[in-house]
Amino acid sequence: MGRHSLPDSHAAEGRRGHPSTRRRTVAIATLLVLAVATGTAVAAKGGLLSFSESCEDSAVRLSVVASPDIAPAVRSIAEQARADEVKADGHCLVVEVLARDAHKVAEALAAGDTEPDFQVWLPDSDLWLERAKGLGEGIPVSPSDSVASSPVALAMVPSASRALGWPRKTYTWAELVAGALGSDRVRLGAADPARSATGLLALAGIGASSARQGGDSDTRVAQTAKVLAERMSDGDTQVLETLARSTSGAEEGNPKRNQAALISEQAAFTHNTEATGAGKLDLFYPEDGTPLLDYPYTLVNEARLSTAESRAALRFMNLLGDRDAQATFAEHGFRAGDGSAEDSLVAAAGGRKPQPYAEPAVEAPSDEELQETLGMWTITVQSARLTTVVDASGSMATLVPGRNQSRMKVTKESLIQALDQFTPDDEIGLWKFATTLDGEQDYRRLMETKRLGDPAAGGGTHREKLTAAFAALQPVPGGATGLYDTTLASYKEARSTYVKGKFNALVILTDGSNQDTDGISRSGLVTELKKLVDPERPVPVIAIAVGPDADRDEVAEIARITGGDGYEVSDPAEIQAVILQAIMAAGQNGRAAEE
C-alpha cells in the first residue's frame, strides 16, 4: 500500500512498495481524518504557517523508539528537522529518538501492563508486529510502510571467504551454510533468533532453502541450528563483536573469535567503516534470495494520540521518506525501503559482483512459518521435556465442522504430526483424562515422560510407542471433563520429575470446562499451583482450548500462574503450530524471568 502524503514541501517522494507478502493494514489514514478535524490542514499549506512565537513555545513533541541500528540515522534526521524548524500545523516538530531492542519493545506491548512512553515505534522488521500483538490483549499498533531496508547475508573474514570462492562463486542459503560449516577453519556465529530478526530471518531462509533441496530437510536445519546455538550471541551487536578483527594468528586462532556471521548488510557496513585492512568483511548474498529487514513506521496506541501528536507523527513519517532523509539513511548503510541501493553502499558493506546483491528480496516468510521456525529453534537449542495431557471426555467425539472427523481424531493426528518436530533427546509423555477414568481418578498416565530415542520394552523406540499411544486415543462415552484434578496431579508429577537443562512444560488439551463437581475447586487449584510454582524449577503450563465449548479464559488464568499461557484453536489441526508457538513464548518468558 502506498504512503500517505501530506501536501507540504517536504512530503516524501513516491516509492515502490515493499515486496513482503505480509503487508500490514495501514491505519495511518485515520490521521488524515484527524487532520481535517483540526480545520487547519488547508490554511496551513501542509504545516508551514508562520507563527510569531518561538519554536520552543509552540513545539509539538514526539517520542520515537527505534531499533539500535537505525536509531542514529533517525536521530540525525530529527535533529536536522529541529534545526530547520520544520513544522506540523504551525507547530515546530521536536522529535526525541530512543534506541531500544525490538524484542523487548514487542514483549512490553504484548503484555500491555503499562502505557508506552512513546508514540512511534520503528522496529527493524515487521515480524515484531505480530509478536507485539500477543494474544490480542496488548497495546495496539498501527504500521505503515518501510522507511529503509537492509538484506540479511553471510559475512566472512577475507581468509574464510576466499576459501569458499568469494566473490565469483555463488551459493543457495543451504549450500552456503553447509559450505561454511563443512570447513574446520570457519566458525559461524549468529544472533539468537528469539531476540534478533536477522537471526530468525536467516534461519527461516536456511530452512526454506533446505526444503527445496529435498530429502530430510528438517534434520539438516536442526543440525544447523545446533551448531549455530553453540556460538550464539544475544543480539546483533554482540555477534559482530565475536568476529576476528585482523588476520593475526592470535585473532584468527582464538576459539572465541568467529570467521563468519549471519548479519545484515547494514551491520557489515558499520563494521567495515570502523575496521581497517584485513579486518573488513566480505559478504555472500545467497542466490535463492536474501530476506530484508524492513523498518516499518508504526504508530503505538493510535486511538490515544492527540490531534497534534497524530499530525506530528504523519509529518515525521513523510520527512523520513524525503530525499535528504534517504541520503542520511544511505550514509548509515541502509537501502531504500524497496530494497534498492547504490553499488557504492554495497561495496562498502563488503559486497562485490557477481554476488547477486541486486536481485529482488526473497518473499518474506509467513507468520506461521516464522512461529514454526522459532518453535524448532527453541526445541533444538534446549531439549524439551513435555508431559502431554489429552482430554478424552465424550465431547471429543464431536465432529469438527467441514472435516467429517471427530475432535479426537484431528487432535491426535495433529499431535503425531507435531511429534516429528522433536529430536531423540526430547522427552515426551502422555496422560489422558475424563471423569472417574481410573477408579475415582479422572486421569490415567499412558506413557512415561522419557527420551524419544530411548529403546522401549518389546522393541522399537519411545517415539514409536508414543506415536501408537496417540493413535489409540479414543473418547470415553459419557465421560465428563475432570480438568482441575488432572491439572493438579499432572503438574505435581511434572514438577517432581523436573530435569535441569531442559525446557520442562505441561501441555494440556481440553475441549471443555471442568465438570467434576466432586473434585478440587477452581480456587483450590489456583491456591495449590501457587504453592507448587518454583522459579528454580519452572514448569509452565501450556493450556490449549480446543473447539467452541472450551473456556480459553479459564485455562489461560490457570496456566499463567505457572508462567505459561492459554491458547485457543477452533480447528484441532492447528494444534501443532500452537504447541511450537507456545513453547517459544514460554521459553522466552522463562529467559526474561532469569534476567
Side-chain angles (χ1 to χ4, degrees), residues 304-437:
R304 297 196 62 174
L305 298 185
S306 67
T307 301
E309 289 172 335
S310 297
R311 286 288 294 174
L314 185 54
R315 183 71 181 87
F316 190 58
M317 183 185 77
N318 280 337
L319 191 65
L320 293 178
D322 73 18
R323 185 172 301 169
D324 289 342
Q326 289 297 300
T328 299
F329 282 131
E331 289 170 1
H332 285 76
F334 292 96
R335 296 189 179 199
D338 61 8
S340 62
E342 298 292 334
D343 287 350
S344 58
L345 185 155
V346 175
R352 186 183 300 175
K353 293 179 180 179
Q355 288 296 311
Y357 58 79
E359 293 298 312
V362 69
E363 182 175 300
S366 67
D367 295 325
E368 292 75 16
E369 290 168 336
L370 288 174
Q371 288 173 2
E372 185 171 338
T373 299
L374 267 176
M376 180 275 295
W377 169 261
T378 303
I379 293 168
T380 303
V381 172
Q382 185 180 35
S383 294
R385 177 179 171 80
L386 308 178
T387 301
T388 309
V389 183
V390 181
D391 190 343
S393 59
S395 57
M396 288 292 282
T398 304
L399 293 181
V400 176
R403 282 187 168 268
N404 200 31
Q405 292 178 315
S406 70
R407 291 175 184 169
M408 179 62 86
K409 182 173 179 58
V410 179
T411 294
K412 62 190 185 183
E413 287 179 354
S414 189
L415 287 170
I416 292 171
Q417 188 177 10
L419 195 59
D420 291 338
Q421 301 291 326
F422 294 87
T423 72
D425 287 331
D426 294 316
E427 302 180 27
I428 300 181
L430 175 62
W431 291 34
K432 71 174 182 179
F433 71 99
T435 47
T436 59
L437 188 62

Side-chain angles (χ1 to χ4, degrees), residues 61 203 212 222 304:
R61 300 181 185 278
L203 191 60
R212 288 190 290 269
R304 297 196 62 174

